[in-house]
Amino acid sequence: MLIRRPPDIASSEITPESAYLARREFIVRAGGLGAAFVGATLLGGLGCGTDDVRAEPRDGGSPGSATDAVTTAQASAQEKVNSYEDITSYNNYYEFGTDKADPRENAQQFRTRPWSVTVDGLVKKPGTFAFDDLVKPHTVEDRVYRLRCVEAWSMVIPWQGIPLRDMIARFEPLPSAKFVTFTTVLDPQQMPGQRRQVLDWPYVDALRMDEAMHPLTLIATGLYGKPLPNQNGAPLRLVVPWKYGFKSVKAIVKMSFVASQPTTTWNASAPDEYGFYANVNPEVDHPRWTQSRERRIGEFRRRETLMFNGYADQVASLYRGMDLRRNF
Ligand SMILES: Nc1nc2c(c(=O)[nH]1)N[C@H]1C(S)=C(S)[C@@H](COP(=O)(O)O)O[C@H]1N2
Ligand SMILES: [Mo]
């Protein structure tokens, strides 16, 4: 993501690689979560419950169908969840520094309480919600998702969170709302990275309304059964598993419902490199590196990058008829 210093993918991977290999874990053990947790959760799927079958089928694709669940369950048998250590020590969070180790080091004192989120724009029920009021009405679900960074590394992360569509329903968006933007807190006193013009702060990204309402889209509040660590975006962050990681905004303080496609931070900083849609697509390279392969943190060999990060069955119908090279 660096725009000043052209990122050298090779070097950014070699350094952490030795460290990860040394502490690689083969099964989830942390946080009191056992094999039952892993087994019950469908990688890339829709949580583990019959609950999810209520998801409305979209034309041509039925995100909540049993077929999807089976497909994703098979994927889960082949992919290991990354360790808690991997997930919490190798981060992108430029508010706390641009090196992968910076967020863990610099975010420990960040205050996540009290916290509130402002909802405004084209909704019937706007307001400012304290964290508990926002989260408490909902059931927190387990979702094991791949995370694919635009820099060509990836992880598998066991999140806990709330389907964004459930939260959005409470705000009663108007039919005129076509996009929703997510804004990270602006607090240069606490966030050393915001004292430098690395990006245009505060960090903003956005989804089309149908993307925001997709059953896979999550507001994460935890991982590995623990509250979300500060470096991963506490107290709440977006997770959109079929898009490059930069769409998944951390430390959200605002959601705005708007009529037209908003300006987003990375897209504005380098429009040729970071598209608005940012769907994971092995056929559309970044101008400076291939997107056809990726390094799974903890593995030696690169693996093939999957269309929509492996969630094509669930999300491809959202983009039917669109030119994915132009709308990258
Ligand atoms: N506010 C904010 N959100 C952010 C970022 C950031 O720098 N600032 N980095 C993004 C990028 S590039 C990625 S890959 C993911 C990384 O999430 P993780 O560190 O929890 O794995 O967060 C995304 N969300
Ligand atoms: Mo990223």
Side-chain angles (χ1 to χ4, degrees):
M1 301 293 285
L2 284 177
I3 43 187
R4 302 266 163 83
R5 170 164 55 92
D8 175 347
I9 289 297
S11 75
S12 70
E13 289 171 352
I14 287 164
T15 316
E17 194 66 28
S18 53
Y20 288 118
L21 283 172
R23 21 178 146 87
R24 168 158 117 163
E25 292 174 20
F26 288 87
I27 197 79
V28 182
R29 269 187 263 106
L33 294 163
F37 172 78
V38 179
T41 311
L42 305 175
L43 179 71
L46 297 160
C48 46
T50 45
D51 269 11
D52 293 300
V53 178
R54 75 190 133 79
E56 286 162 27
R58 270 151 224 274
D59 50 331
S62 47
S65 73
T67 321
D68 287 333
V70 170
T71 311
T72 50
Q74 281 164 348
S76 78
Q78 291 155 21
E79 291 183 59
K80 293 189 296 283
V81 178
N82 279 88
S83 69
Y84 187 81
E85 173 70 13
D86 287 347
I87 296 165
T88 60
S89 65
Y90 188 87
N91 300 101
N92 270 337
Y93 199 171
Y94 279 19
E95 286 85 341
F96 291 104
T98 52
D99 287 340
K100 296 292 182 282
D102 288 343
R104 178 161 76 172
E105 188 163 313
N106 298 331
Q108 291 316 308
Q109 307 305 317
F110 179 63
R111 289 186 301 275
T112 57
R113 296 296 143 81
W115 192 269
S116 59
V117 177
T118 298
V119 175
D120 64 13
L122 304 170
V123 290
K124 278 194 201 138
K125 300 199 169 149
T128 295
F129 302 84
F131 178 84
D132 283 344
D133 300 333
L134 196 65
V135 166
K136 274 222 181 98
H138 300 283
T139 310
V140 172
E141 300 183 12
D142 288 312
R143 301 286 179 91
V144 180
Y145 285 156
R146 302 175 200 90
L147 178 133
R148 171 50 159 89
C149 178
V150 73
E151 297 164 331
W153 55 266
S154 65
M155 295 202 203
V156 178
I157 304 182
W159 302 104
Q160 286 76 47
I162 297 156
L164 177 62
R165 50 157 31 189
D166 294 349
M167 201 179 264
I168 286 181
R170 289 165 57 202
F171 313 141
E172 298 184 25
L174 302 170
S176 51
K178 302 296 184 210
F179 293 84
V180 52
T181 72
F182 303 86
T183 307
T184 296
V185 66
L186 181 64
D187 189 347
Q189 287 217 332
Q190 289 203 80
M191 295 175 142
Q194 287 183 342
R195 291 174 222 146
R196 289 175 287 134
Q197 271 305 310
V198 183
L199 286 173
D200 195 9
W201 310 113
Y203 192 106
V204 173
D205 216 300
L207 298 174
R208 216 170 56 189
M209 203 62 186
D210 58 344
E211 299 175 324
M213 296 298 282
H214 191 279
L216 289 182
T217 306
L218 198 69
I219 291 288
T221 55
L223 61 84
Y224 263 103
K226 305 178 191 202
L228 204 58
N230 287 350
Q231 59 269 38
N232 296 91
L236 79 179
R237 60 90 59 87
L238 189 61
V239 177
V240 194
W242 70 95
K243 292 177 178 285
Y244 293 121
F246 71 85
K247 299 293 287 184
S248 291
V249 178
K250 295 180 171 181
I252 293 168
V253 292
K254 191 154 84 140
M255 298 186 206
S256 301
F257 292 78
V258 297
S260 47
Q261 186 178 307
T263 302
T264 53
T265 303
W266 276 108
N267 183 235
S269 77
D272 302 339
E273 305 194 358
Y274 310 110
F276 174 82
Y277 282 93
N279 291 316
V280 174
N281 188 342
E283 288 162 21
V284 178
D285 288 339
H286 186 281
R288 292 182 277 131
W289 60 82
T290 177
Q291 293 293 26
S292 66
R293 286 179 301 283
E294 67 197 54
R295 174 85 66 193
R296 177 68 48 85
I297 299 302
E299 292 180 354
F300 266 128
R301 298 183 64 118
R302 288 195 176 204
R303 54 166 73 216
E304 308 251 304
T305 287
L306 304 174
M307 188 65 198
F308 295 113
N309 204 23
Y311 303 98
D313 286 351
Q314 290 92 350
V315 305
S317 63
L318 297 176
Y319 309 102
R320 188 173 298 137
M322 278 174 65
D323 179 344
L324 298 179
R325 287 190 178 275
R326 278 190 60 213
N327 300 288
F328 66 100

Short mmCIF file of all heavy atoms in Angstrom, two decimals, residues 182-230:
data_model
loop_
_atom_site.label_atom_id
_atom_site.label_comp_id
_atom_site.label_asym_id
_atom_site.label_seq_id
_atom_site.Cartn_x
_atom_site.Cartn_y
_atom_site.Cartn_z
N PHE A 182 -17.68 4.35 5.67
CA PHE A 182 -17.22 4.01 7.02
C PHE A 182 -15.99 4.87 7.31
O PHE A 182 -15.06 4.90 6.51
CB PHE A 182 -16.85 2.53 7.09
CG PHE A 182 -17.99 1.63 6.69
CD1 PHE A 182 -18.20 1.32 5.35
CD2 PHE A 182 -18.86 1.12 7.64
CE1 PHE A 182 -19.27 0.52 4.98
CE2 PHE A 182 -19.93 0.31 7.27
CZ PHE A 182 -20.13 0.02 5.94
N THR A 183 -16.02 5.54 8.43
CA THR A 183 -14.92 6.45 8.77
C THR A 183 -14.25 6.00 10.05
O THR A 183 -14.92 5.71 11.05
CB THR A 183 -15.46 7.89 8.93
OG1 THR A 183 -16.20 8.24 7.77
CG2 THR A 183 -14.32 8.87 9.12
N THR A 184 -12.93 5.98 10.01
CA THR A 184 -12.12 5.67 11.20
C THR A 184 -12.00 6.92 12.07
O THR A 184 -12.02 8.04 11.55
CB THR A 184 -10.71 5.22 10.75
OG1 THR A 184 -10.83 4.00 10.03
CG2 THR A 184 -9.76 5.00 11.93
N VAL A 185 -11.85 6.72 13.34
CA VAL A 185 -11.67 7.85 14.27
C VAL A 185 -10.47 8.72 13.86
O VAL A 185 -9.47 8.21 13.35
CB VAL A 185 -11.50 7.32 15.72
CG1 VAL A 185 -10.21 6.53 15.89
CG2 VAL A 185 -11.59 8.44 16.73
N LEU A 186 -10.63 10.02 14.03
CA LEU A 186 -9.53 10.96 13.81
C LEU A 186 -9.04 11.42 15.17
O LEU A 186 -9.76 12.10 15.90
CB LEU A 186 -10.01 12.16 12.99
CG LEU A 186 -8.94 13.21 12.65
CD1 LEU A 186 -7.85 12.65 11.75
CD2 LEU A 186 -9.57 14.45 12.01
N ASP A 187 -7.85 11.01 15.53
CA ASP A 187 -7.34 11.31 16.87
C ASP A 187 -5.81 11.28 16.85
O ASP A 187 -5.17 10.34 17.34
CB ASP A 187 -7.89 10.27 17.86
CG ASP A 187 -7.58 10.63 19.31
OD1 ASP A 187 -6.75 11.53 19.54
OD2 ASP A 187 -8.16 10.00 20.21
N PRO A 188 -5.21 12.33 16.26
CA PRO A 188 -3.75 12.33 16.10
C PRO A 188 -3.00 12.24 17.42
O PRO A 188 -1.86 11.75 17.43
CB PRO A 188 -3.45 13.67 15.41
CG PRO A 188 -4.75 14.31 15.10
CD PRO A 188 -5.86 13.51 15.69
N GLN A 189 -3.64 12.67 18.49
CA GLN A 189 -2.96 12.56 19.79
C GLN A 189 -2.68 11.11 20.14
O GLN A 189 -1.64 10.77 20.69
CB GLN A 189 -3.82 13.18 20.88
CG GLN A 189 -3.85 14.70 20.79
CD GLN A 189 -3.88 15.34 22.16
OE1 GLN A 189 -4.39 14.74 23.11
NE2 GLN A 189 -3.35 16.53 22.27
N GLN A 190 -3.66 10.28 19.83
CA GLN A 190 -3.51 8.86 20.16
C GLN A 190 -2.93 8.05 19.01
O GLN A 190 -2.49 6.92 19.22
CB GLN A 190 -4.87 8.26 20.52
CG GLN A 190 -5.44 8.70 21.84
CD GLN A 190 -6.43 7.66 22.32
OE1 GLN A 190 -6.06 6.63 22.86
NE2 GLN A 190 -7.71 7.92 22.07
N MET A 191 -3.03 8.59 17.81
CA MET A 191 -2.62 7.83 16.63
C MET A 191 -1.44 8.52 15.97
O MET A 191 -1.61 9.47 15.18
CB MET A 191 -3.80 7.69 15.66
CG MET A 191 -4.95 6.88 16.23
SD MET A 191 -6.37 6.88 15.12
CE MET A 191 -6.96 5.18 15.30
N PRO A 192 -0.23 8.06 16.28
CA PRO A 192 0.96 8.77 15.79
C PRO A 192 1.01 8.87 14.27
O PRO A 192 1.51 9.87 13.74
CB PRO A 192 2.13 7.94 16.34
CG PRO A 192 1.54 6.66 16.85
CD PRO A 192 0.09 6.91 17.13
N GLY A 193 0.48 7.89 13.58
CA GLY A 193 0.51 7.91 12.12
C GLY A 193 -0.29 9.07 11.54
O GLY A 193 -0.01 9.53 10.42
N GLN A 194 -1.30 9.52 12.27
CA GLN A 194 -2.13 10.63 11.77
C GLN A 194 -1.44 11.98 11.90
O GLN A 194 -1.95 12.98 11.43
CB GLN A 194 -3.47 10.65 12.50
CG GLN A 194 -4.41 9.53 12.08
CD GLN A 194 -5.76 9.60 12.76
OE1 GLN A 194 -5.93 10.26 13.78
NE2 GLN A 194 -6.74 8.88 12.22
N ARG A 195 -0.26 11.99 12.54
CA ARG A 195 0.48 13.25 12.62
C ARG A 195 1.33 13.46 11.37
O ARG A 195 1.97 14.48 11.20
CB ARG A 195 1.37 13.27 13.87
CG ARG A 195 0.55 13.36 15.15
CD ARG A 195 1.45 13.23 16.38
NE ARG A 195 0.83 12.38 17.37
CZ ARG A 195 1.48 11.57 18.20
NH1 ARG A 195 2.81 11.48 18.15
NH2 ARG A 195 0.82 10.84 19.08
N ARG A 196 1.33 12.47 10.51
CA ARG A 196 2.06 12.58 9.24
C ARG A 196 1.07 12.39 8.09
O ARG A 196 0.11 11.63 8.21
CB ARG A 196 3.16 11.52 9.16
CG ARG A 196 4.32 11.83 10.11
CD ARG A 196 5.35 10.71 10.12
NE ARG A 196 4.85 9.54 10.83
CZ ARG A 196 4.94 8.29 10.39
NH1 ARG A 196 5.52 8.04 9.23
NH2 ARG A 196 4.46 7.30 11.09
N GLN A 197 1.33 13.06 6.99
CA GLN A 197 0.40 13.01 5.85
C GLN A 197 0.65 11.79 4.96
O GLN A 197 0.79 11.91 3.76
CB GLN A 197 0.52 14.29 5.02
CG GLN A 197 -0.41 15.40 5.49
CD GLN A 197 -1.88 14.96 5.54
OE1 GLN A 197 -2.40 14.41 4.59
NE2 GLN A 197 -2.54 15.17 6.68
N VAL A 198 0.71 10.62 5.56
CA VAL A 198 0.89 9.40 4.78
C VAL A 198 -0.34 9.16 3.92
O VAL A 198 -0.26 8.76 2.76
CB VAL A 198 1.11 8.20 5.72
CG1 VAL A 198 1.37 6.93 4.92
CG2 VAL A 198 2.26 8.46 6.67
N LEU A 199 -1.49 9.40 4.53
CA LEU A 199 -2.78 9.30 3.84
C LEU A 199 -3.59 10.54 4.23
O LEU A 199 -3.22 11.26 5.15
CB LEU A 199 -3.54 8.04 4.30
CG LEU A 199 -3.08 6.69 3.80
CD1 LEU A 199 -3.84 5.58 4.51
CD2 LEU A 199 -3.23 6.55 2.29
N ASP A 200 -4.68 10.73 3.53
CA ASP A 200 -5.57 11.83 3.85
C ASP A 200 -6.51 11.36 4.97
O ASP A 200 -7.45 10.62 4.74
CB ASP A 200 -6.36 12.17 2.56
CG ASP A 200 -7.03 13.51 2.67
OD1 ASP A 200 -6.76 14.24 3.65
OD2 ASP A 200 -7.81 13.83 1.76
N TRP A 201 -6.21 11.77 6.20
CA TRP A 201 -6.98 11.31 7.35
C TRP A 201 -8.28 12.09 7.51
O TRP A 201 -8.32 13.25 7.15
CB TRP A 201 -6.15 11.45 8.64
CG TRP A 201 -4.78 10.87 8.55
CD1 TRP A 201 -3.59 11.56 8.58
CD2 TRP A 201 -4.43 9.49 8.44
NE1 TRP A 201 -2.53 10.68 8.49
CE2 TRP A 201 -3.02 9.41 8.39
CE3 TRP A 201 -5.18 8.29 8.35
CZ2 TRP A 201 -2.34 8.20 8.27
CZ3 TRP A 201 -4.51 7.11 8.23
CH2 TRP A 201 -3.11 7.07 8.19
N PRO A 202 -9.30 11.52 8.11
CA PRO A 202 -9.37 10.15 8.59
C PRO A 202 -9.58 9.16 7.45
O PRO A 202 -10.06 9.51 6.38
CB PRO A 202 -10.61 10.17 9.50
CG PRO A 202 -11.50 11.21 8.89
CD PRO A 202 -10.56 12.26 8.36
N TYR A 203 -9.18 7.95 7.72
CA TYR A 203 -9.32 6.84 6.77
C TYR A 203 -10.81 6.59 6.50
O TYR A 203 -11.59 6.44 7.44
CB TYR A 203 -8.70 5.61 7.41
CG TYR A 203 -8.45 4.40 6.54
CD1 TYR A 203 -7.15 4.07 6.15
CD2 TYR A 203 -9.48 3.53 6.18
CE1 TYR A 203 -6.89 2.93 5.41
CE2 TYR A 203 -9.22 2.38 5.43
CZ TYR A 203 -7.92 2.09 5.05
OH TYR A 203 -7.67 0.96 4.33
N VAL A 204 -11.15 6.56 5.23
CA VAL A 204 -12.55 6.33 4.83
C VAL A 204 -12.60 5.27 3.74
O VAL A 204 -11.75 5.25 2.85
CB VAL A 204 -13.17 7.64 4.27
CG1 VAL A 204 -14.56 7.38 3.69
CG2 VAL A 204 -13.24 8.73 5.33
N ASP A 205 -13.56 4.40 3.83
CA ASP A 205 -13.85 3.55 2.68
C ASP A 205 -15.36 3.34 2.63
O ASP A 205 -16.08 3.81 3.52
CB ASP A 205 -13.07 2.23 2.70
CG ASP A 205 -12.69 1.85 1.26
OD1 ASP A 205 -13.60 1.68 0.43
OD2 ASP A 205 -11.48 1.75 0.97
N ALA A 206 -15.83 2.69 1.58
CA ALA A 206 -17.27 2.63 1.37
C ALA A 206 -17.65 1.37 0.60
O ALA A 206 -16.83 0.76 -0.08
CB ALA A 206 -17.73 3.87 0.60
N LEU A 207 -18.90 1.01 0.74
CA LEU A 207 -19.47 -0.13 0.01
C LEU A 207 -20.73 0.33 -0.71
O LEU A 207 -21.42 1.25 -0.25
CB LEU A 207 -19.86 -1.25 0.98
CG LEU A 207 -18.74 -1.89 1.80
CD1 LEU A 207 -19.34 -2.87 2.82
CD2 LEU A 207 -17.74 -2.61 0.89
N ARG A 208 -21.01 -0.35 -1.81
CA ARG A 208 -22.31 -0.18 -2.42
C ARG A 208 -23.32 -0.81 -1.46
O ARG A 208 -22.99 -1.74 -0.72
CB ARG A 208 -22.31 -0.90 -3.77
CG ARG A 208 -23.10 -0.22 -4.86
CD ARG A 208 -22.83 -0.90 -6.20
NE ARG A 208 -23.13 -2.34 -6.14
CZ ARG A 208 -22.83 -3.21 -7.11
NH1 ARG A 208 -22.22 -2.80 -8.21
NH2 ARG A 208 -23.13 -4.48 -6.98
N MET A 209 -24.54 -0.32 -1.50
CA MET A 209 -25.53 -0.78 -0.53
C MET A 209 -25.74 -2.30 -0.58
O MET A 209 -25.86 -2.95 0.47
CB MET A 209 -26.85 -0.04 -0.80
CG MET A 209 -27.74 0.02 0.37
SD MET A 209 -26.99 0.93 1.73
CE MET A 209 -28.24 0.62 2.94
N ASP A 210 -25.78 -2.86 -1.78
CA ASP A 210 -26.02 -4.32 -1.86
C ASP A 210 -24.82 -5.10 -1.30
O ASP A 210 -24.98 -6.20 -0.76
CB ASP A 210 -26.39 -4.76 -3.29
CG ASP A 210 -25.33 -4.41 -4.31
OD1 ASP A 210 -24.44 -3.57 -4.03
OD2 ASP A 210 -25.38 -4.96 -5.43
N GLU A 211 -23.62 -4.54 -1.40
CA GLU A 211 -22.45 -5.17 -0.81
C GLU A 211 -22.53 -5.11 0.72
O GLU A 211 -22.21 -6.08 1.43
CB GLU A 211 -21.17 -4.47 -1.27
CG GLU A 211 -20.94 -4.52 -2.78
CD GLU A 211 -19.73 -3.71 -3.22
OE1 GLU A 211 -19.45 -2.63 -2.64
OE2 GLU A 211 -19.06 -4.13 -4.17
N ALA A 212 -22.96 -3.94 1.20
CA ALA A 212 -23.08 -3.77 2.66
C ALA A 212 -24.14 -4.72 3.22
O ALA A 212 -24.01 -5.21 4.36
CB ALA A 212 -23.44 -2.32 2.98
N MET A 213 -25.18 -4.99 2.44
CA MET A 213 -26.28 -5.83 2.90
C MET A 213 -26.04 -7.32 2.62
O MET A 213 -26.87 -8.16 2.95
CB MET A 213 -27.59 -5.41 2.21
CG MET A 213 -28.04 -4.00 2.57
SD MET A 213 -28.39 -3.78 4.33
CE MET A 213 -30.01 -4.55 4.45
N HIS A 214 -24.91 -7.65 2.03
CA HIS A 214 -24.64 -9.06 1.73
C HIS A 214 -24.40 -9.82 3.03
O HIS A 214 -23.74 -9.33 3.94
CB HIS A 214 -23.42 -9.18 0.81
CG HIS A 214 -23.28 -10.57 0.28
ND1 HIS A 214 -22.70 -11.58 1.01
CD2 HIS A 214 -23.69 -11.12 -0.88
CE1 HIS A 214 -22.75 -12.71 0.30
NE2 HIS A 214 -23.34 -12.45 -0.84
N PRO A 215 -24.94 -11.04 3.14
CA PRO A 215 -24.82 -11.77 4.40
C PRO A 215 -23.38 -12.06 4.85
O PRO A 215 -23.16 -12.33 6.03
CB PRO A 215 -25.57 -13.08 4.15
CG PRO A 215 -26.14 -13.01 2.79
CD PRO A 215 -25.82 -11.70 2.16
N LEU A 216 -22.41 -12.01 3.95
CA LEU A 216 -21.03 -12.25 4.39
C LEU A 216 -20.40 -11.02 5.06
O LEU A 216 -19.39 -11.15 5.77
CB LEU A 216 -20.15 -12.65 3.20
CG LEU A 216 -20.35 -14.03 2.58
CD1 LEU A 216 -19.35 -14.26 1.46
CD2 LEU A 216 -20.22 -15.14 3.62
N THR A 217 -20.93 -9.85 4.82
CA THR A 217 -20.30 -8.62 5.33
C THR A 217 -20.53 -8.49 6.83
O THR A 217 -21.66 -8.56 7.31
CB THR A 217 -20.86 -7.40 4.58
OG1 THR A 217 -20.69 -7.61 3.18
CG2 THR A 217 -20.13 -6.13 4.99
N LEU A 218 -19.43 -8.29 7.53
CA LEU A 218 -19.46 -8.38 8.99
C LEU A 218 -18.92 -7.11 9.65
O LEU A 218 -17.99 -6.48 9.14
CB LEU A 218 -18.55 -9.56 9.39
CG LEU A 218 -18.70 -10.15 10.78
CD1 LEU A 218 -20.03 -10.88 10.91
CD2 LEU A 218 -17.54 -11.11 11.08
N ILE A 219 -19.52 -6.77 10.78
CA ILE A 219 -18.90 -5.80 11.70
C ILE A 219 -18.25 -6.65 12.79
O ILE A 219 -18.96 -7.27 13.60
CB ILE A 219 -19.94 -4.84 12.31
CG1 ILE A 219 -20.48 -3.88 11.25
CG2 ILE A 219 -19.31 -4.06 13.47
CD1 ILE A 219 -19.50 -2.81 10.79
N ALA A 220 -16.93 -6.71 12.78
CA ALA A 220 -16.24 -7.59 13.74
C ALA A 220 -16.04 -6.87 15.06
O ALA A 220 -15.68 -5.68 15.11
CB ALA A 220 -14.89 -8.02 13.17
N THR A 221 -16.27 -7.61 16.13
CA THR A 221 -16.05 -7.10 17.48
C THR A 221 -15.04 -7.96 18.25
O THR A 221 -14.67 -7.63 19.37
CB THR A 221 -17.37 -7.09 18.28
OG1 THR A 221 -17.94 -8.41 18.24
CG2 THR A 221 -18.37 -6.12 17.66
N GLY A 222 -14.63 -9.06 17.64
CA GLY A 222 -13.69 -9.93 18.32
C GLY A 222 -13.00 -10.87 17.36
O GLY A 222 -13.39 -10.96 16.18
N LEU A 223 -11.98 -11.54 17.85
CA LEU A 223 -11.38 -12.64 17.09
C LEU A 223 -10.82 -13.65 18.09
O LEU A 223 -10.46 -13.31 19.21
CB LEU A 223 -10.33 -12.13 16.09
CG LEU A 223 -9.09 -11.38 16.52
CD1 LEU A 223 -7.98 -12.33 16.95
CD2 LEU A 223 -8.60 -10.51 15.36
N TYR A 224 -10.79 -14.90 17.67
CA TYR A 224 -10.36 -15.98 18.56
C TYR A 224 -11.12 -15.96 19.88
O TYR A 224 -10.56 -16.30 20.93
CB TYR A 224 -8.85 -15.90 18.82
CG TYR A 224 -8.02 -16.82 17.92
CD1 TYR A 224 -7.32 -16.32 16.83
CD2 TYR A 224 -7.95 -18.19 18.21
CE1 TYR A 224 -6.56 -17.17 16.02
CE2 TYR A 224 -7.20 -19.03 17.41
CZ TYR A 224 -6.50 -18.52 16.33
OH TYR A 224 -5.76 -19.35 15.54
N GLY A 225 -12.38 -15.52 19.86
CA GLY A 225 -13.17 -15.54 21.07
C GLY A 225 -12.80 -14.48 22.09
O GLY A 225 -13.28 -14.52 23.22
N LYS A 226 -11.97 -13.54 21.70
CA LYS A 226 -11.58 -12.45 22.60
C LYS A 226 -11.99 -11.13 21.97
O LYS A 226 -12.14 -11.05 20.76
CB LYS A 226 -10.05 -12.43 22.79
CG LYS A 226 -9.48 -13.74 23.28
CD LYS A 226 -7.97 -13.60 23.38
CE LYS A 226 -7.34 -14.96 23.61
NZ LYS A 226 -6.02 -14.87 24.21
N PRO A 227 -12.12 -10.09 22.81
CA PRO A 227 -12.42 -8.78 22.22
C PRO A 227 -11.38 -8.42 21.17
O PRO A 227 -10.22 -8.83 21.27
CB PRO A 227 -12.34 -7.83 23.42
CG PRO A 227 -12.52 -8.68 24.63
CD PRO A 227 -11.97 -10.04 24.27
N LEU A 228 -11.79 -7.68 20.18
CA LEU A 228 -10.90 -7.31 19.09
C LEU A 228 -9.66 -6.59 19.65
O LEU A 228 -9.79 -5.62 20.38
CB LEU A 228 -11.66 -6.36 18.16
CG LEU A 228 -11.23 -6.23 16.72
CD1 LEU A 228 -11.26 -7.58 16.01
CD2 LEU A 228 -12.13 -5.23 16.01
N PRO A 229 -8.47 -7.07 19.33
CA PRO A 229 -7.27 -6.36 19.78
C PRO A 229 -7.19 -4.98 19.10
O PRO A 229 -7.67 -4.81 17.98
CB PRO A 229 -6.13 -7.25 19.30
CG PRO A 229 -6.74 -8.61 19.13
CD PRO A 229 -8.14 -8.34 18.67
N ASN A 230 -6.59 -4.04 19.78
CA ASN A 230 -6.50 -2.68 19.23
C ASN A 230 -5.90 -2.67 17.83
O ASN A 230 -6.35 -1.94 16.95
CB ASN A 230 -5.68 -1.78 20.16
CG ASN A 230 -6.45 -1.43 21.42
OD1 ASN A 230 -7.65 -1.70 21.53
ND2 ASN A 230 -5.77 -0.82 22.37
#
